[in-house]
Structures are given as C-alpha cells and as structure tokens.
C-alpha cells in the first residue's frame, strides 16, 4: 500500500517537528528509543514458522500435554524430527502430513527461528 | 456501506486535494502505530496478542466479557463437558498491555480510518483487523429466522444456543427423532456438523437407545467423509441415518410451529430439530465495506488485507482464505501472519509470501478422534493447498490411533485457547 508509506512518512515528519518545537530533548530521546525498540521487536518469522505454536505451546504449562512444547528444543532437533516425519522414518499421527508441506530449506529456517526466538 | 461521519464530507475535499494523510489519524500524535482489532475470538484475540508482542499499540474491541469457544462445544451437547470449560476472558490480554474495549463496534469509516463504538466514541487506527466470525443468515432458509432459532436451535455459535439444544436433547423422551439440517459450503467449521452428528448419536446410543438421529445434508461430499462414515457404520448403525443431497437431503424450508424440516423429497418432524443455516461474515465486515457478493471477505493472502478496503485486514471465518477451511486453528494461524504483515507494512516493507497450516480434530466418540491437516501458500492471489502435504487420518487405523488422536485433540484445545487468550 503506497498510501500507507506516504502517510507514515508524513506523520514522522510531523512528529519530528513536534518534538523539536515543544519537547525537552530527553523526552524526545526516550520516545525515539521506545520507537526503535518497537521496531527492533519485529522479528520476522520465516514462512510457516508462526503456525507451529497453534499446537506446540510457546510456554509449556504445568502438566505436560500430549503435544510437546518447542521451547528449549535445539534447531537441529527440530530439523531432524521434521526430516523424520517427512520421510516416514519417524512415526506420527499428523506431523507426517504437515512436514511434507515444507522443503528442507524451509524447515531449516523454521527450526532456527523457533530455537532462537519463535516459541513463546 | 460505511457509516457516514459528520467530519467526512468536509474531509473529502481535503483528500481530493491530495492531503489525505491529514484526514487519516495515522501516527502523527503517537509514538507507536495504533492497530484496532474487532472481535475477540480465536482470530482477534490471537492477533491482538501477536501485534502487542511485535511492539504495536493494540486496542481489542469485543462487546462480550468472555468468549465461548465453538471447538469442543459438541462435547457440551453430548453431555460430557461443562460450558464453563468453553469460556475465556480477556484479563491476560489486558494485563499484557492490550487495551480491551468492552463495547460493540457500530461503524467503520475506512476513509478516515476510524471505528465508531456503541457509545458514540471513536477509535482512530493506522491499521484495522476485523475478526468478526460469522453471522447466521436469517434471510436464506425460508422459515428460519431468529425466532425459529429459539425453537430449533442452530447452536453454531457457542453459548446460550448450545445450552438450549443440550436441554432439548436431555428433555426428549426415549424413542424420539432428532433431525439435523446441514447447509451447503461455505460455513464455519466444515467437519463440525458431522462431529456433532457423531456425538449426538453416541449420546442417544448410550442414554436413549430407542431414539435416532436423521442428518439431512445439502451436499454430497464433506470433510473427513470416509472416516466419519466408516465410524458411523461401526458405531451407530441403529442411531444415525445420513441423507446426502443426492438422496433428497437438501433443506428447502423449515416450519418452527411444527418443528419440521422440509426437503425436496418430504417433510421430517423431529422431537428435537437442529438447523445449521447458511452463514456470512460477521456484520461489521459489511459495514466496513469488506464483503463481496458472496457474503464473505476477499483478502490478500500475504497480509490478509482486504481487497476492498485499504488499511483493513480480515482474518478467521469471515475471510475468503481459498483452500484454508474456516476453523479456529486457521484463524489463529492467519492472525499471526496478519500481525507480522501489519508490522512490516507499517515499516513500509513488503510482507513475504507466507505458508500457513491448518489442523482440525473431530470426535467421532469421546475416545475416538480423527483429523485433517493442510499446508497452504499463496497461488494466483488465493491460498492454495501445498501439493503432497495434508490429508486426513488413515482409514482403517487401529483403535489405539483413534484414542491417541482424541488425546491430541484435547491437548490442542488447551494449547490453542492458551495461545489465544492466555
């Protein structure tokens, strides 16, 4: 949406003007730090990665359910499990059907992302 | 279709003069972009939390104090689950920093990017997410209106309707006929009617063995069909009769006064009648100008942005998601892809092509679960099945597999509701 970009650019310019004329420098810095923190938190997940927590809890709760959490699992462990599901070497009721929808490269990217920051 | 605001005509001149950014509330007075989410079900609640995690300022508009989940509500009809276990509030979401507004959204002015609430207040947004679920169409099936639903409940939104149908089943004398009317596609939860048929048949078999369920369907093919029909043959041969479209199953009229369902082939009066009517996107989607002639909302599959209203995104049952079914799992998966797309759009970046997953479990009996799964990616502007992936549980699987899938279903419900509502 080009309209979105234009309005954000304009808004940023307006906001900058506000800060210069009507605010203490420290306030402006605090707000700017907050804004960059907000931007930094946009950790873009690779295709498919955000679907995993629909079944595999980000934060495992007290009683361990039948579906394991991915929190704390290494990228390698996730990648190997998915390879096993895809080939049929590892038995599953359902993950075999899902694993076949992702290439090795896609699975590797998902596994790395989940191990680093995804499963929460 | 959008609601007329008093400011609007004055602003139109400005917009034409190329100053539309001033008309839009945008982010000028805020340090963070503001996203308003309408609808606090699986899609809206998940999206609000995901947007909040991405650092955006989020307002969730939901008039109900709690959401009553549809998945597992067939177990409430079955009598083995309390409706309280279906109820989820917004305290966690609020604690995490999402502003939760307990009001009905009355209007959307897409040009000015404002939502009008029931009390007349307005909420400005940079991006709007609609997750309004479905409305029953009380204009589609002759004889079926809101009053008829008090006599022949749809129970296709969980809550009072679920409890009404449960009470009717409980009150029915043994030997009674239960009639269920199932609509043509598309509607919320494609396998839902067949799970419901299974669990009602299980209830009759175990509690009212002289009774029977008659399922009248407006189609010939349905989700997990072979698995359902294999199980019905094995488990409920005397308690469930299924009539497809080709057998005269399509409901053409209902008569509330006689508690009867009329098909092209005849009339079926029931002691209990469950009519699942045709549906459409929740009404706020039409108000916002996001609905096409089908009654549903066309979207861009990468960001779920409406094809009809800029800066408005539609997720969950209300959107046209191509091959992706209208399910709670889909809504949750779409919510997270949409949130990420919005975060990127607000930074002026394009969203990458996503992949999405759906998983859907159904109970054929309390200890007998079956599933369907799919992986989806954009193709020709729609979400399409990724070839070679997905499909149903295997036919002919041993009881241990069915029992394991029933356990997985219960685990899924716990995790999915925790992810959506905390």
């Amino acid at each position: 949406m080009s309209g979105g970009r234009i309005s954000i650019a304009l808004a940023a310019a307006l906001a900058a003007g506000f800060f210069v004329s009507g605010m203490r420098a420290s306030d402006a810095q605090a707000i700017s730090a907050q804004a960059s923190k907000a931007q930094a938190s946009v950790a873009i997940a690779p295709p498919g990665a955000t679907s995993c927590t629909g079944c595999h809890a980000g934060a495992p709760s007290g009683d361990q359910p039948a579906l394991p959490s991915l929190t704390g699992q290494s990228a390698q462990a996730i990648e190997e499990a998915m390879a096993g599901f895809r080939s049929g070497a590892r038995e599953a009721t359902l993950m075999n059907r899902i694993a076949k929808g992702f290439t090795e490269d896609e699975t590797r990217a998902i596994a790395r992302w989940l191990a680093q920051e995804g499963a929460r | 279709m959008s609601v007329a605001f008093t400011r609007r005509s004055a602003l139109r001149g400005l917009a034409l003069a190329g100053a539309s950014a001033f008309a839009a509330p945008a982010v000028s007075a805020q340090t963070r972009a503001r996203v308003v989410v309408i609808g606090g079900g699986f899609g809206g609640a998940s999206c609000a939390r995901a947007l909040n995690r991405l650092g955006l300022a989020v307002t969730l508009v939901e008039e109900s104090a709690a959401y009553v989940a549809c998945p597992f509500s067939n177990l409430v009809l079955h009598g083995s689950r309390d409706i309280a276990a279906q109820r989820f509030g917004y305290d966690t979401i609020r604690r995490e920093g999402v502003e939760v507004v307990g009001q009905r959204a009355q209007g959307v002015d897409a040009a000015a990017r404002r939502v009008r609430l029931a009390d007349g207040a307005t909420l400005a947004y940079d991006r709007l997410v609609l997750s309004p679920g479905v409305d029953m169409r009380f204009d589609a099936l002759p004889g079926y209106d809101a009053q008829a639903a008090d006599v022949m409940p749809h129970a296709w939104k969980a809550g009072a309707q679920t409890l009404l149908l449960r009470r009717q089943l409980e009150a029915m004398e043994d030997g009674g006929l239960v009639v269920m009317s199932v609509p043509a596609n598309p509607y919320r939860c494609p396998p839902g009617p067949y799970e419901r048929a299974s669990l009602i048949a299980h209830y009759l078999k175990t509690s009212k063995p002289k009774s029977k369920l008659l399922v009248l369907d407006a189609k010939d093919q349905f989700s997990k069909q072979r698995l359902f029909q294999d199980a019905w043959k094995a488990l409920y041969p005397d308690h469930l009769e299924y009539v497809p479209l080709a057998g005269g199953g399509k409901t053409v009229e209902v008569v509330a006064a006689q508690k009867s369902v009329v098909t092209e082939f005849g009339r079926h009066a029931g002691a209990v009648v469950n009519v699942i009517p045709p549906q459409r996107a929740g009404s706020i989607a039409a108000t916002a100008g996001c609905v096409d002639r089908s009654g549903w909302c066309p979207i861009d599959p990468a960001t779920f942005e409406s094809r009809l209203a800029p800066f408005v995104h539609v997720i969950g049952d209300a959107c046209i998601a191509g091959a992706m079914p209208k399910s709670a799992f889909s809504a949750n998966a779409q919510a997270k892809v949409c949130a990420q797309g919005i975060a990127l759009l607000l930074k002026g970046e394009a969203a990458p092509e996503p992949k999405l997953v759906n998983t859907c479990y159904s109970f054929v009996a309390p200890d007998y679960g079956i599933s369907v799964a799919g992986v989806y990616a954009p193709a020709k502007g729609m979400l399409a099945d990724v070839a070679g992936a997905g499909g149903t549980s295997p036919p002919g699987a041993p009881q241990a597999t069915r029992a394991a899938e029933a356990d997985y279903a219960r685990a899924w419900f716990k995790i999915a509701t925790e992810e959506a509502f905390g």
Side-chain angles (χ1 to χ4, degrees):
Chain A
M1 298 268 45
S2 59
R5 253 177 249 135
I6 290 163
S7 71
I8 287 163
L10 251 169
L14 284 171
F18 266 119
F19 294 155
V20 170
S21 62
M23 275 186 159
R24 292 201 310 269
S26 58
D27 288 343
Q29 273 167 5
I31 287 167
S32 142
Q34 199 183 350
S36 56
K37 188 184 154 209
Q39 290 217 333
S41 69
V42 181
I44 294 309
T50 55
S51 283
C52 305
T53 51
C55 278
H56 301 280
S61 53
D63 49 333
Q64 180 61 23
L67 302 166
S69 167
L70 294 172
T71 300
Q73 293 206 30
S74 71
Q76 196 187 342
I78 295 170
E79 208 181 323
E80 281 174 11
M82 287 291 278
F85 291 137
R86 192 164 40 235
S87 71
R90 184 168 168 160
E91 258 191 60
T93 53
L94 190 138
M95 276 309 298
N96 49 352
R97 292 176 253 159
I98 290 174
K100 290 191 182 87
F102 295 91
T103 65
E104 274 179 41
D105 286 349
E106 286 172 336
T107 306
R108 186 171 304 121
I110 291 170
R112 283 182 184 163
W113 185 80
L114 285 171
Q116 274 168 20
E117 58 188 302
R120 54 178 180 161
Chain B
M1 292 286 282
S2 56
V3 170
F5 283 70
T6 48
R7 285 179 62 221
R8 199 173 163 205
S9 50
L11 291 171
R12 193 173 294 134
L14 280 172
L16 285 170
S20 61
F22 293 100
V27 290
S28 56
Q30 302 164 359
T31 55
R32 294 192 296 169
R34 165 71 53 185
V35 183
V36 173
V37 180
I38 299 178
F42 281 92
S46 301
C47 197
R49 294 186 86 195
L51 289 160
N52 184 46
R53 267 187 229 118
L54 288 164
L56 300 167
V58 186
T59 303
L60 175 64
V61 180
E62 167 57 58
E63 67 174 328
S64 305
Y67 179 70
V68 185
C70 276
F72 278 48
S73 67
N74 285 330
L75 290 169
V76 178
L77 293 178
H78 175 255
S80 56
R81 188 173 178 85
D82 196 294
I83 192 99
Q86 298 295 108
R87 202 167 280 136
F88 299 90
Y90 302 104
D91 288 350
T92 303
I93 298 178
R94 200 178 271 120
R95 226 174 9 250
E96 289 169 345
V98 172
E99 184 190 3
V100 181
V101 175
Q103 281 198 60
R104 184 174 175 78
Q106 294 281 49
V108 173
D109 184 339
R113 285 196 254 164
R114 283 175 187 278
V115 173
R116 196 187 57 187
L117 302 174
D119 70 357
T122 60
L123 294 172
Y125 62 82
D126 296 290
R127 292 272 164 181
L128 173 65
V129 179
L130 301 180
S131 188
V134 298
D135 278 354
M136 300 304 129
R137 284 187 58 187
F138 288 123
D139 60 350
L141 185 59
Y144 200 68
D145 55 16
Q147 287 72 44
D150 290 338
V151 180
M152 304 187 291
H154 53 78
W156 218 241
K157 286 191 177 188
Q161 279 275 308
T162 314
L163 293 174
L164 175 60
L165 184 54
R166 172 63 195 162
R167 281 197 303 272
Q168 291 183 349
L169 288 167
E170 271 183 303
M172 186 182 79
E173 282 183 26
D174 192 5
L177 177 69
V178 181
V179 178
M180 180 187 297
S181 167
V182 183
N185 292 321
Y187 57 90
R188 159 179 283 177
C189 189
Y194 312 100
E195 177 189 72
R196 174 175 292 181
S198 306
L199 291 173
I200 289 178
H202 186 272
Y203 169 69
L204 299 179
K205 182 181 173 181
T206 50
S207 299
K208 293 178 178 167
K210 287 183 274 183
S211 311
K212 196 177 118 177
L213 169 67
L214 176 66
V215 181
L216 302 168
D217 201 343
K219 54 193 173 303
D220 289 319
Q221 268 104 43
F222 59 86
S223 177
K224 308 177 205 175
Q225 182 163 10
R226 171 147 182 218
L227 297 171
F228 275 116
Q229 292 190 316
D230 284 355
W232 292 345
K233 213 169 163 182
L235 300 175
Y236 314 120
D238 303 324
H239 295 93
L240 195 165
E241 181 186 345
Y242 175 76
V243 184
L245 172 67
K250 185 185 175 184
T251 301
V252 295
E253 186 187 354
V254 299
V255 185
Q258 298 161 6
K259 276 187 144 181
S260 69
V261 172
V262 183
T263 67
E264 279 157 359
F265 286 44
R267 181 180 293 262
H268 306 273
V272 175
V273 181
N274 171 212
V275 177
I276 305 168
Q279 295 147 40
R280 63 179 157 227
S283 62
I284 192 71
T287 307
C290 295
V291 169
D292 72 11
R293 276 160 49 182
S294 72
W296 306 97
C297 305
I299 46 97
D300 173 340
T303 60
F304 289 85
E305 184 165 13
S306 168
R307 297 258 191 225
L308 303 176
F311 305 106
V312 183
H313 301 247
V314 187
I315 57 173
D317 292 347
C319 78
I320 301 172
M324 227 178 160
K326 298 186 187 304
S327 73
F329 194 109
S330 288
N332 170 265
Q334 292 164 6
K336 291 178 281 188
V337 167
C338 174
Q340 191 163 283
I342 285 174
L344 286 167
L345 289 168
L346 287 168
K347 286 172 71 185
E349 293 173 22
E353 283 221 331
K355 270 195 172 179
L356 295 102
V357 173
N358 177 60
T359 293
C360 166
Y361 289 100
S362 301
F363 290 101
V364 190
D367 61 348
Y368 187 134
I370 55 176
S371 63
V372 63
V375 183
Y376 310 91
K380 294 177 186 161
M382 295 288 283
L383 284 165
D385 280 302
V386 172
T392 68
S393 315
Q399 174 52 29
T401 303
R402 307 304 190 204
E405 289 218 283
D407 287 344
Y408 287 140
R410 291 175 201 279
W412 167 78
F413 185 85
K414 182 169 184 291
I415 290 165
T417 51
E418 273 177 15
E419 205 192 19
F421 306 101

